[in-house]
Amino acid sequence: MAASPLPGAVKIVEVGPRDGLQNEKEFVPTQVKIELIDRLTQAGFANIEAASFVSPKWVPQMADGAQVMDGIARRAGTIYSALTPNLRGFEGALAARVDEIVIFGAASEAFSQKNINCSIAESIERFAPVAQAAKANGVRIRGSVSCSLGCPYQGEVPVESVVDVVQRFAALGCDEIDIADTIGVGTAKRVHEVFEAVTKVFPRERLSGHFHDTYGQALANIYAALEQGIAIFHASVAGLGGCPYAKGATGNVATEDVLYLMNGLGIHTGVDLDQVVAAGDFISRAIGRNNVSRAGKALLAKQQSAAACA
Amino acid sequence: MAASPLPGAVKIVEVGPRDGLQNEKEFVPTQVKIELIDRLTQAGFANIEAASFVSPKWVPQMADGAQVMDGIARRAGTIYSALTPNLRGFEGALAARVDEIVIFGAASEAFSQKNINCSIAESIERFAPVAQAAKANGVRIRGSVSCSLGCPYQGEVPVESVVDVVQRFAALGCDEIDIADTIGVGTAKRVHEVFEAVTKVFPRERLSGHFHDTYGQALANIYAALEQGIAIFHASVAGLGGCPYAKGATGNVATEDVLYLMNGLGIHTGVDLDQVVAAGDFISRAIGRNNVSRAGKALLAKQQSAAACA
């Protein structure tokens, strides 16, 4: 058993509407995105990654960020986040009354060079004006450290690189920082090593675990992180989103599976699992995609057999 | 982190050829079963659940147990196990030179009554002659405690019921006892409670964890059990086998995902992951079934993209 008790409550950040749907090939209609976010709001999430204010040339799937933010029914207390790669994106997010902006950088030098053609340090410096503008306007800032547990190009990522990016984000004034396993290669031991190191330079309660289930490890990783007192986790309803580095493989961990774990551990989430299962069924049908949440599929199967017996 | 270090080595019991294939609707040809077991033997498993000596009226999928045992290429040191519900089954297993027989009972009274129309106590007493015959013939005995973490009929299963069945199996002389989450409903907290209780009445090093991934919890459960020093785990290549209580849901945890975890934790298994991935691809194609191992799918996708680039 863990040396210290697990957290009594956690925040689950639902990333399906942005991180998940961004990976869909077909454009998802704005009205479908809005209904998904509204269902997730009603299910009780305190934080939903709702949109991306990036150039539609880069990410056409997210071109309707302003309309989505305008159409959703917000709940007081819920934080609606959006990705903002530059000042122009920040201005769009500000106009759309986004509560939190997300900036990002890789812990892998090879990934940074290959994806955005600059060093890790340069990539994060470029966010300085965005971070300043967010601070000036009282908008929360979240920093996402991709490839924290491994990289599709260089393989191993040194723990020191993760710590370095966390420190750079902290210097920009990030309120929250995500340790993201972008390709799902990490296991519980590495999770432990990385959080052990980053909690020395940034407050534990403002660090989150963003795990992918590509190798089936996400829930074991979350459990290992819980044992270290990490209490913010990202998840995607119905497991929306794939892995761009392994076609057909799984991407973000499914929210339903994470909630099932937290419920079993007696950890408060404030989120209603049944409503999330229904939201996962809704979006999977709406976009014609397999629901890859194991708990979601099992709970839907049970509902159907109960309905058949009634 | 765990209070005590994780085991340095574990035994993975590969149950796909029996527990997995038994759940397939179509009869799998004997030659395919033999090739699967041979591939798993070559991959390095120390224990493979290979056959079932039950009435072909009950389980037609396993009617060819004797032919399978006769056809496989055994490796010295590998234990080939088979299910034996009665003396007749035991005689078949003995004739087929099975190394270990498996007897079974539920920790749920409702499950026992509904499935075999007798009490838990009666169901296990019926195995007494089988256990005596096994002892007399120097054959290992494994006892499997189904519904250890929950029951499809009564829901909650008291920890005391699991302890009671473990004690009954111990009294019959079982060499190894499985704590089986037959419907995959357990989470890490319950795993901890159950192992804490059963390790007081049976040696830790002869207890195994048999987890299903129906709600996505299996790897987190294995990790929690590892932290308690449990060092034997069951898994099914390609996630063979489903959940008879939730149609379309996942069954046994996939061996590839378990091996990926152990490799990441630096825990010795003696099994070659790449060969298991290939065996999982072989059987999935041979029986026209989706490979549900996440690690298996990701590793196959990487191989294919590497082959395409070569």
Side-chain angles (χ1 to χ4, degrees):
Chain A
M1 194 56 173
S4 50
L6 304 180
V10 295
K11 176 172 90 167
I12 307 294
V13 180
E14 170 56 55
V15 302
R18 201 290 301 173
D19 197 12
L21 292 184
Q22 180 167 322
N23 273 298
E24 289 299 319
K25 278 204 181 120
E26 309 267 319
F27 180 81
V28 175
T30 307
Q31 208 46 52
V32 171
K33 288 175 182 150
I34 290 170
E35 177 166 350
L36 174 63
I37 295 169
D38 285 350
R39 282 171 170 266
L40 296 166
T41 294
Q42 285 156 26
F45 288 97
N47 195 338
I48 300 173
E49 199 172 282
S52 195
F53 288 85
V54 302
S55 164
K57 271 192 296 183
W58 296 354
V59 190
Q61 293 94 328
M62 294 283 117
D64 56 353
Q67 293 95 299
V68 168
M69 290 304 299
D70 192 49
I72 58 174
R74 301 187 190 211
R75 197 186 60 159
T78 293
I79 294 167
Y80 297 89
S81 314
L83 236 74
T84 56
N86 50 37
L87 261 186
R88 188 174 181 153
F90 174 75
E91 281 154 17
L94 190 67
R97 297 187 300 117
V98 159
D99 302 298
E100 178 183 75
I101 59 155
V102 183
I103 60 179
F104 43 91
S108 152
E109 202 62 58
F111 192 89
S112 192
Q113 290 293 350
K114 194 129 180 171
N115 270 31
I116 46 175
N117 202 29
C118 69
S119 72
I120 297 173
E122 285 167 337
S123 77
I124 294 169
E125 278 157 28
R126 288 181 189 173
F127 282 115
V130 176
Q132 281 160 15
K135 285 282 163 205
N137 287 277
V139 176
R140 276 174 60 93
I141 313 173
R142 170 150 66 80
S144 179
V145 187
S146 67
C147 298
S148 285
L149 304 180
C151 167
Y153 306 118
Q154 76 182 48
E156 192 92 353
V157 170
V159 173
E160 301 74 45
S161 300
V162 184
V163 170
D164 176 70
V165 178
V166 166
Q167 287 176 310
R168 289 173 192 274
F169 276 142
L172 290 183
C174 282
D175 297 287
E176 202 167 301
I177 296 179
D178 315 328
I179 302 303
D181 186 9
T182 311
I183 54 170
V185 292
T187 53
K189 183 163 171 257
R190 191 61 167 181
V191 169
H192 179 77
E193 291 161 355
V194 169
F195 277 117
E196 177 123 303
V198 296
T199 49
K200 289 187 179 135
V201 301
F202 196 76
R204 191 179 304 267
E205 60 275 16
R206 297 199 273 129
L207 283 166
S208 82
H210 174 113
F211 298 117
H212 281 220
D213 213 17
T214 317
Y215 294 82
Q217 306 298 311
L219 254 61
N221 290 346
I222 288 173
Y223 187 70
L226 281 170
E227 291 186 328
Q228 290 180 273
I230 301 302
I232 309 173
F233 296 99
H234 293 196
S236 178
V237 61
L240 287 177
C243 179
Y245 304 97
K247 211 180 158 190
T250 311
N252 289 289
V253 65
T255 312
E256 297 90 322
D257 299 13
V258 177
L259 291 171
Y260 189 92
L261 172 65
M262 298 303 169
N263 290 349
L265 298 177
I267 295 175
H268 179 77
T269 64
V271 181
D272 183 86
L273 174 55
D274 289 338
Q275 287 186 60
V276 178
V277 169
D281 192 37
F282 158 75
I283 189 65
S284 300
R285 289 171 190 269
I287 66 175
R289 181 182 190 278
N290 275 338
N291 187 332
V292 298
S293 166
R294 300 194 168 194
K297 279 189 293 190
L299 290 167
L300 286 167
K302 275 180 68 178
Q303 283 171 18
Q304 280 155 13
S305 72
C309 296
Chain B
M1 198 52 174
S4 50
L6 304 180
V10 295
K11 177 172 89 166
I12 307 294
V13 181
E14 171 56 54
V15 302
R18 201 289 303 172
D19 197 12
L21 292 184
Q22 180 166 321
N23 272 297
E24 289 299 318
K25 278 202 180 120
E26 309 266 320
F27 180 82
V28 176
T30 306
Q31 209 45 54
V32 171
K33 289 175 181 150
I34 291 170
E35 177 165 351
L36 174 62
I37 295 169
D38 285 351
R39 282 171 171 266
L40 296 167
T41 296
Q42 284 156 27
F45 289 97
N47 195 339
I48 300 173
E49 199 172 281
S52 195
F53 289 85
V54 302
S55 163
K57 271 193 295 182
W58 296 355
V59 190
Q61 293 94 329
M62 294 283 117
D64 56 353
Q67 294 96 300
V68 168
M69 291 303 300
D70 192 50
I72 58 174
R74 301 186 190 212
R75 197 186 60 160
T78 293
I79 294 167
Y80 297 89
S81 313
L83 237 73
T84 56
N86 50 37
L87 262 185
R88 187 173 182 155
F90 174 76
E91 282 153 17
L94 190 68
R97 297 188 300 114
V98 159
D99 302 298
E100 177 183 75
I101 59 154
V102 183
I103 61 180
F104 42 92
S108 153
E109 203 62 59
F111 191 89
S112 193
Q113 289 293 351
K114 193 130 180 168
N115 269 32
I116 47 176
N117 204 27
C118 70
S119 71
I120 296 172
E122 286 167 337
S123 77
I124 294 170
E125 278 156 29
R126 288 182 189 173
F127 283 115
V130 176
Q132 281 160 14
K135 286 282 163 206
N137 287 279
V139 176
R140 277 174 59 94
I141 313 173
R142 170 150 66 81
S144 179
V145 187
S146 66
C147 298
S148 285
L149 304 180
C151 166
Y153 306 118
Q154 75 183 50
E156 192 90 354
V157 170
V159 173
E160 301 73 45
S161 300
V162 184
V163 170
D164 176 69
V165 179
V166 166
Q167 286 176 314
R168 290 173 191 275
F169 276 143
L172 289 184
C174 282
D175 298 287
E176 202 166 303
I177 296 180
D178 316 327
I179 302 303
D181 185 8
T182 311
I183 53 170
V185 291
T187 53
K189 183 163 170 257
R190 190 63 167 180
V191 169
H192 179 76
E193 290 161 357
V194 169
F195 276 117
E196 177 123 303
V198 297
T199 48
K200 290 187 178 135
V201 301
F202 196 76
R204 193 180 303 266
E205 60 275 17
R206 295 200 274 130
L207 283 166
S208 81
H210 175 114
F211 298 117
H212 280 219
D213 213 15
T214 317
Y215 293 83
Q217 305 299 311
L219 253 63
N221 290 345
I222 289 174
Y223 187 70
L226 281 170
E227 291 186 329
Q228 290 179 274
I230 301 302
I232 310 173
F233 296 98
H234 292 196
S236 178
V237 61
L240 286 177
C243 179
Y245 303 96
K247 211 180 158 191
T250 312
N252 289 291
V253 65
T255 312
E256 298 90 322
D257 299 14
V258 177
L259 291 171
Y260 189 93
L261 172 66
M262 298 303 169
N263 290 350
L265 298 176
I267 295 175
H268 179 77
T269 64
V271 181
D272 183 85
L273 174 55
D274 289 339
Q275 287 185 61
V276 178
V277 169
D281 191 38
F282 158 75
I283 189 65
S284 300
R285 289 171 190 269
I287 66 175
R289 182 183 190 276
N290 275 338
N291 187 331
V292 298
S293 164
R294 299 193 168 196
K297 278 189 294 190
L299 291 166
L300 286 167
K302 275 180 69 178
Q303 282 171 19
Q304 280 156 12
S305 74
C309 296

